[in-house]
Amino acid sequence: MSLTASDPAVVAAERSAMPSPGSAPLMRVSGLRVAVDGGRREVVHGVGFEVHRGETVGIVGESGSGKTLACRSLLGILPHGADRTAGELLFDGVDLGTLSERQWRGVRGARISAVFQDPASYLNPSIRVGRQLDEVHRVRVGLSRRAARAASVAALARLGLVDPERVYLQYPFELSGGMLQRVLLAIALAAEPELLIADEATTALDVTVQAEVLDLLAELRATTGLTVILVSHDLAVVSQVCDRVYVMREGNVVEHGPTRRVLRAPQDEYTRSLLEAHDRYGIERLHADAPQEEAS
């Protein structure tokens, strides 16, 4: 039997997934608007969301929903022709929208980092992956050449790459998609950021490797307190790792709340249509297999 928002299991799940009362979010976005075509066409319409320390928050929606533009705004790396026209982006109390490019360099890649869908396109194919990771350790962390190499090999090992010394010496084209994504994660986490934006980071991976990367993100969160924004069109992925979820459609947030509540008792018709589209990929099985919480 399907659950409704008033069912005890849903109420208990929603209560347990909510941030602690009075805790300030690490990231709070309000009134975010993004326009393209020289400002003539608005594609993100006053979006707001927040993420608390240690949370994994999902932002989901179909291609073109505005989720990627919203999150790239948090990094100050909107594509050519796109501009943030309004909105407050508070990160640890500082409005990112007021930063100069010099100030951004102290935030982007250091306190806020990101991994994207196609890791190969973010790595230089002519430079060994170890050297590319070394550069981050030297520039962002300030390590010596020798210390950077040791830190890079240790990072590759921590991210589950077998024979990290060998991987360190390889070129990107010699590695599989899953290995490349782990290398990109190592680069993104080198400076120990507080917030990681994972934008469709598992989309191009096969199911087994996808599960490994999701497990890795969960482990990093548990061991380091990493805060994650997971951008995805795949509700099955979001259901596995996210505490709360925001559903976007055509540049608007149409529903948000604790992941279990949103996925088991969606209030918006669009969210229901997304769930129906994902039925064949196992989301109903995940619901059926999930333990039933009791109201406290």
Side-chain angles (χ1 to χ4, degrees):
M1 182 174 63
S2 61
L3 296 175
T4 67
S6 61
D7 285 319
V10 174
V11 172
E14 185 158 353
R15 186 183 300 120
S16 66
M18 293 298 290
S20 301
S23 62
L26 176 63
M27 172 67 74
R28 173 179 284 148
V29 176
S30 58
L32 174 63
R33 296 182 181 274
V34 178
V36 297
D37 300 334
R40 292 188 296 273
R41 183 166 62 92
E42 187 175 271
V43 291
V44 176
H45 313 295
V47 161
F49 57 88
E50 61 182 43
V51 188
H52 289 250
R53 290 183 185 275
E55 274 194 304
T56 296
V57 169
I59 300 181
V60 302
E62 297 172 308
S63 296
S65 63
K67 59 188 186 299
T68 289
L69 288 176
C71 285
R72 284 180 179 260
S73 297
L74 310 185
L75 293 162
I77 55 170
L78 285 169
H80 179 71
D83 296 288
R84 181 178 63 88
T85 58
E88 188 176 59
L89 313 175
L90 286 181
F91 175 68
D92 199 18
V94 175
D95 188 353
L96 299 176
T98 66
L99 300 185
S100 66
E101 183 53 38
R102 181 177 180 180
Q103 291 171 319
W104 261 116
R105 289 196 290 270
V107 175
R108 188 191 303 123
R111 299 187 67 192
I112 305 175
S113 199
V115 287
F116 300 98
Q117 179 174 346
D118 182 12
S121 65
Y122 294 91
L123 295 169
N124 190 321
S126 63
I127 299 177
R128 299 178 195 273
V129 295
R131 282 188 56 196
Q132 297 185 60
L133 184 50
D134 285 353
E135 183 178 1
V136 181
H137 281 122
R138 296 184 67 190
V139 173
R140 294 288 184 187
V141 187
L143 299 183
S144 66
R145 188 181 301 273
R146 178 177 294 181
R149 178 183 176 117
S152 295
V153 172
L156 295 174
R158 186 168 61 251
L159 289 173
L161 285 158
V162 178
D163 197 357
E165 289 276 6
R166 180 170 177 268
V167 174
Y168 176 93
L169 296 172
Q170 290 182 301
Y171 291 93
F173 64 82
E174 297 180 289
L175 303 179
S176 68
M179 294 173 76
L180 286 173
Q181 194 61 277
R182 289 170 189 264
V183 169
L184 202 63
L185 270 169
I187 291 173
L189 298 173
E192 299 183 354
E194 296 157 71
L195 175 63
L196 175 70
I197 299 172
D199 188 354
E200 300 284 8
T202 64
T203 297
L205 305 178
D206 65 48
V207 174
T208 301
V209 178
Q210 181 184 80
E212 292 174 353
V213 172
L214 292 175
D215 287 345
L216 180 59
L217 287 174
E219 180 183 348
L220 289 168
R221 173 189 170 186
T223 57
T224 70
L226 180 68
T227 304
V228 179
I229 296 176
L230 182 69
V231 184
S232 180
H233 67 277
D234 191 337
L235 288 173
V237 168
V238 168
S239 71
Q240 295 177 55
V241 296
C242 294
D243 301 297
R244 295 185 298 112
V245 61
Y246 291 79
V247 181
M248 288 190 65
R249 181 188 188 188
E250 297 178 352
N252 297 286
V253 172
V254 297
E255 183 164 6
H256 66 91
T259 303
R260 183 178 295 276
R261 197 277 296 161
V262 170
L263 298 189
R264 298 185 71 169
Q267 303 300 296
D268 188 83
E269 180 60 34
Y270 176 68
T271 309
R272 288 194 287 270
S273 72
L274 288 180
L275 284 164
E276 290 169 4
H278 281 74
D279 281 350
R280 71 185 65 183
Y281 300 110
I283 198 142
E284 286 299 322
R285 178 185 56 77
L286 286 170
H287 291 174
D289 292 346
Q292 301 292 308
E293 296 97 339
E294 296 182 356
S296 57

